[in-house]
Every structure is written in C-alpha cells, then in structure tokens.
Amino acid sequence: MYDDQFAEVYDRVYCALYDYAEHAELIGDLARRHVSDPVTLLDVGCGTGEHLRYLAKQFSVTGVDLSGSMVRVARRKLGNVAVHQADMRKFDLGRTFDVVCSMYSSIGYLGGPEELRAAISRMAAHVAPGGVLIVEPWILRERWNGGVLAHATVEHEGVTISRMGHWRTEGARSQVDMHYLVSEPDGVRHFVDHQDLALYSLEEYKNAFALAGFQASLLPAGRADRGVFVAVARTGEEGR
C-alpha cells in the first residue's frame, strides 16, 4: 500500500488533516491514568513517525511499521529513535514497554478476525507488567455508514496536493481508491492509493483483547467516529 510515491506526500497531507500533537497528548494522558510514571513507549504501525516526534517529549520511544518506505521517512525524521520494519502480526522486539500504542486506525489494515487477534496478541506480549495497551480502531462495523466521498486539498511549501475518493463497502471491509494530484514545478503528477480496512465489530475487538489476557474499554476519546481502546492485563492472569 504505502509505496515511495505515497510516503513522499504522506506528511504533507496528513499533518494538515490530523492533529498529531493533540493525539500524542491524549496517549500520554491515557497512559498516566493507568501507569504510575510511565517511561517507555512503543508505537505499532508508526508510519512516518509523526506521533513519535511528539511522544518523544514524554517518553523514551520506539516504533514499528511494516512499510519500508514509511520506516525510511521515520528514521530520517527521528534520528536516533529506533524504528523497526516489522509485521504487527508477528513482531518480537525481545523487550517490553510501559505503554504500547497503535494509532490512526493502523490495525484496520489487517485481514480478518484471526489477524486482528494475532496483532493484539503481539502488542500485548510487549506490554510490561502493570503497563497499558492503547489502540485506536478503524470505524466499528456497527457504526459504518456504507461509504462516503472523502476529499481535501492542502498546500505545503509551495506544493499543492488534492486527494479524492469514495469509500465503499466490500463484504466486511471498507475500501477506497484515493486519487492524488500533486503539483510540481514541471506539471501535475497523479497516482492512486488503494486503501482496504477491515470492519471489525466491537465484540471482535474485545474478544481479541480478552484472548491476549487484557480487559479493554472503548473510550469516547480522539476521533469521534472511532474512539480509543484502553486495555490492561487481567488481574491474576499469567502469561500472554
């Protein structure tokens, strides 16, 4: 999905549409409600590292993302911060963190419920005893509106980028072919980014957390159409 063309314009588009600083503060607030003096944080599906750029002001941070293109951007941006290229369904960093988070609906790009359970299990395995797992889901199946037109135009350092696509429903998934027009000194470039996100139910999310040994609550925080899951290990359960 995230090839070099898309990674190149990602920050220019999404930094204008999404308040990373505000969401980093949200993560910090949620973490401190559940963990006494959290120090270390892992961001799973960190993309270009924009959340990490702000979270690094609060925590010692590490990132994981599947896309080599995104990881390269994040590493250039973050300098000495460790950003690993790895699959959230399989990764093993050999250590744990006070806070593990996955934001901006990264988890929606997985396949069916089995892959959701695998990813939650791997994230849970990286949560230190007494730590917290914070996951921003994609829109719940129960809340999905069937698909809408999405469009935006942003300008950044003399470059104008317009994007437009119509979300649609394909079985238990939401899909869009997002068309991008990017102005350049010698003309206008066009490319299409295909996005395909699973429509999991609330029950499927909670089941995935429960199987990993965590109790999760969906809080009305962050983006109004999504909320944020906050999960802690069930008392008395050993191993995950």
Side-chain angles (χ1 to χ4, degrees):
M1 177 183 60
Y2 291 126
D3 62 9
D4 290 340
Q5 275 195 107
F6 187 58
E8 174 193 337
V9 303
Y10 186 92
D11 281 347
R12 292 176 176 177
V13 173
Y14 286 95
C15 287
L17 302 178
Y18 182 86
D19 194 334
Y20 286 92
E22 179 181 298
H23 282 77
E25 286 298 321
L26 170 64
I27 295 168
D29 289 345
L30 291 173
R32 285 183 286 273
R33 289 183 200 175
H34 295 84
V35 183
S36 175
D37 193 24
V39 175
T40 57
L41 177 143
L42 172 66
D43 185 6
V44 180
C46 67
T48 64
E50 195 64 15
H51 274 120
L52 289 173
R53 189 162 72 89
Y54 292 99
L55 287 166
K57 300 175 183 179
Q58 306 179 58
F59 306 98
S60 173
V61 299
T62 302
V64 169
D65 200 272
L66 178 62
S67 166
S69 299
M70 293 297 210
V71 167
R72 285 191 290 275
V73 174
R75 286 173 176 167
R76 287 198 302 268
K77 179 187 300 183
L78 298 170
N80 293 328
V81 172
V83 181
H84 304 270
Q85 184 178 359
D87 188 325
M88 69 166 65
R89 297 163 294 187
K90 304 174 183 178
F91 77 101
D92 183 358
L93 302 185
R95 57 167 296 193
T96 58
F97 300 81
D98 299 325
V99 184
V100 176
C101 68
S102 183
M103 301 301 290
Y104 214 176
S105 304
S106 296
I107 202 160
Y109 291 103
L110 298 172
E114 183 177 348
E115 293 193 6
L116 173 64
R117 292 191 292 270
I120 293 295
S121 175
R122 294 315 307 149
M123 291 185 210
H126 287 77
V127 178
V132 64
L133 174 56
I134 301 170
V135 177
E136 181 181 28
W138 177 234
I139 301 168
L140 298 179
R141 187 184 306 154
E142 301 92 312
R143 298 179 182 175
W144 178 244
N145 57 19
V148 296
L149 178 68
H151 58 90
T153 297
V154 300
E155 295 185 13
H156 180 80
E157 296 180 351
V159 175
T160 300
I161 303 170
S162 295
R163 69 166 195 164
M164 181 178 292
H166 199 289
W167 285 95
R168 59 188 183 274
T169 308
E170 297 288 343
R173 304 192 70 81
S174 54
Q175 299 182 353
V176 66
D177 293 314
M178 197 69 75
H179 293 258
Y180 283 80
L181 292 174
V182 183
S183 71
E184 295 179 313
D186 58 351
V188 176
R189 172 165 53 95
H190 169 260
F191 67 91
V192 179
D193 175 51
H194 176 72
Q195 299 204 27
D196 179 2
L197 288 87
L199 295 167
Y200 300 119
S201 68
L202 178 60
E203 182 66 22
E204 286 171 327
Y205 276 110
K206 287 195 170 184
N207 181 57
F209 284 107
L211 288 173
F214 275 56
Q215 180 70 41
S217 299
L218 181 61
L219 305 183
R223 294 169 67 95
D225 59 348
R226 307 179 197 187
V228 177
F229 282 106
V230 178
V232 294
R234 290 180 169 178
T235 303
E237 294 208 19
E238 298 295 332
R240 294 189 291 277

